[in-house]
Amino acid sequence: MQNEIVKLLKKEGKLSEKTIDEISNIEIGDFSDLVRELGKEETEHIKREESSKNLNTKYIGKDIYIFNEVMSTNTIAKFLSMNGVGNGAVVISEKQTKARGRSGKNWESPLGGVWLSIILNPNVNHSKIPLITLATGVAVENTLKRIGVKNAEIKWPNDILIHGKKVCGILTEAITSFNTIESVIIGVGIDANISIENFPEELRENMTTLNDEIGEKVDENLLIKLFLEEFEKISEQFINEEYETILKEWRKNSYTIGKIVEVHEPFSKPYDGYVLGISRDGSLVVEKIDGTLEKVISGECIIKK
């Protein structure tokens, strides 16, 4: 994390021309004011005043940091969370150069997408973290409805699809201390106004963008505003332990339930199964070929048919 913060500040001219090796001896917390200052400067495409204009939230997005380019908004959000930035703060970047998805996979984040992370202090047990990811998926799906996308679906555990193609990914990371959750960082990447040609050829077949689906350019600032509003609604339900309400919405918009999938779990051999549903803890309930039932707590499912 330290080298990433230092590189960001050097690139934006917030540090002298000392080498990174010299600077790395400084306590990383000493850079927090510089990062916050940088996140309040003007950017070319994402505009704070437009993203937050008439924002109908109590706490989500009341503190917004916007950057021209970072390696990962989740890393910046983690850093800020560990250095005094509180609940509901949002980190946005016009581009990400080394973003990652689940299992460390690269996440392409060129100009034209919405790349953001939210700092949340939910005060919950670690076992509830998967539900935050599912709740975020519902928030994204509701946001897309508000801009006219009626056929978005949620693929377990962290993707949003349109016509079976990925348009959004979610990465949730917990910051813990002595088995206590200090904060949760929810990263969201939405392919808004991006040409599919900007993605590696091997990814294009399974990806789409809002621009392609709607047939016109999407207002990225409006998309951010609407998402922050929908996220606060769903996070309030989460905080109030209205888990079944969240799961009901997730099930209603699920792409995964009723599909035959190939399940990949950590430290286990892949297996095929039929997705029966989702349990109250957010686990996927799969019927294996031999008729036994399996709860998939973490991992990935590849849709076969």
Side-chain angles (χ1 to χ4, degrees):
M1 180 187 292
Q2 178 150 329
N3 277 350
E4 184 167 337
I5 299 298
V6 169
K7 287 177 181 177
L8 170 65
L9 294 174
K10 282 178 67 69
K11 181 177 182 297
E12 298 295 335
K14 295 299 180 182
L15 294 175
S16 67
E17 288 305 311
K18 293 180 180 179
T19 67
I20 289 178
D21 287 339
E22 290 173 321
I23 295 172
S24 64
N25 294 322
I26 302 172
E27 288 293 327
I28 189 169
D30 293 341
F31 298 134
S32 60
D33 288 343
L34 291 175
V35 174
R36 284 190 247 194
E37 175 188 326
L38 179 59
K40 294 296 184 180
E41 292 184 357
E42 281 294 312
T43 45
E44 185 176 353
H45 301 281
I46 305 296
K47 301 295 183 182
R48 179 176 293 97
E49 62 273 16
E50 294 181 31
S51 298
S52 58
K53 184 179 180 180
N54 300 320
L55 180 63
N56 185 24
T57 62
K58 298 175 184 175
Y59 58 96
I60 298 294
K62 295 305 181 184
D63 198 5
I64 297 180
Y65 300 89
I66 306 176
F67 301 87
N68 292 298
E69 180 182 299
V70 300
M71 291 184 183
S72 162
T73 58
N74 263 31
T75 299
I76 303 300
K78 283 182 190 176
F79 170 75
L80 292 175
S81 176
M82 295 164 63
N83 289 279
V85 174
N87 190 43
V90 179
V91 174
I92 304 170
S93 185
E94 295 184 336
K95 293 172 63 178
Q96 296 181 108
T97 58
K98 288 190 178 180
R100 61 197 183 281
R102 298 180 74 250
S103 305
K105 294 179 181 177
N106 290 335
W107 178 263
E108 298 291 329
S109 311
L111 192 66
V114 168
W115 323 117
L116 64 81
S117 298
I118 299 174
I119 299 171
L120 200 63
N121 304 133
N123 191 28
V124 295
N125 186 279
H126 205 286
S127 64
K128 299 299 183 185
I129 298 300
L131 289 173
I132 295 179
T133 301
L134 301 187
T136 304
V138 173
V140 173
E141 202 271 341
N142 288 337
T143 300
L144 298 187
K145 283 181 181 175
R146 290 179 67 179
I147 64 167
V149 178
K150 305 298 184 184
N151 49 4
E153 296 176 288
I154 311 171
K155 177 178 175 288
W156 187 92
N158 66 324
D159 292 337
I160 309 299
L161 311 181
I162 302 175
H163 298 128
K165 294 187 176 184
K166 183 172 178 176
V167 74
C168 171
I170 300 162
L171 178 64
T172 303
E173 299 180 282
I175 300 175
T176 60
S177 177
F178 302 106
N179 295 320
T180 300
I181 295 176
E182 299 287 339
S183 59
V184 177
I185 309 301
I186 302 103
V188 175
I190 304 175
D191 298 327
N193 301 310
I194 306 172
S195 170
I196 289 295
E197 300 302 315
N198 288 342
F199 293 98
E201 189 171 349
E202 65 273 14
L203 298 179
R204 295 174 193 169
E205 183 180 354
N206 297 313
M207 298 189 69
T208 189
T209 71
L210 296 180
N211 185 23
D212 287 344
E213 294 296 332
I214 296 175
E216 61 184 18
K217 187 175 180 181
V218 175
D219 184 336
E220 296 158 30
N221 293 290
L222 175 62
L223 188 64
I224 290 168
K225 171 187 175 294
L226 296 178
F227 171 69
L228 296 181
E229 291 177 350
E230 292 299 327
F231 183 84
E232 180 166 290
K233 291 176 189 176
I234 207 79
S235 65
E236 286 287 290
Q237 292 176 349
F238 181 86
I239 291 167
N240 293 329
E241 301 183 0
E242 298 173 25
Y243 305 133
E244 193 52 47
T245 301
I246 296 170
L247 291 172
K248 182 179 179 181
E249 283 298 301
W250 193 96
R251 293 181 184 113
K252 185 172 71 174
N253 298 290
S254 171
Y255 180 80
T256 311
I257 294 173
K259 296 289 198 302
I260 295 175
V261 299
E262 181 178 283
V263 178
H264 293 255
E265 295 182 271
F267 314 112
S268 299
K269 290 183 178 180
Y271 59 87
D272 290 352
Y274 177 80
V275 180
L276 296 173
I278 194 166
S279 65
R280 295 193 67 185
D281 63 359
S283 301
L284 205 63
V285 181
V286 176
E287 182 180 4
K288 300 172 74 172
I289 299 232
D290 62 8
T292 59
L293 299 184
E294 193 78 27
K295 282 180 66 176
V296 185
I297 298 172
S298 64
E300 181 182 6
C301 65
I302 299 171
I303 307 293
K304 302 190 76 172
K305 61 180 180 178

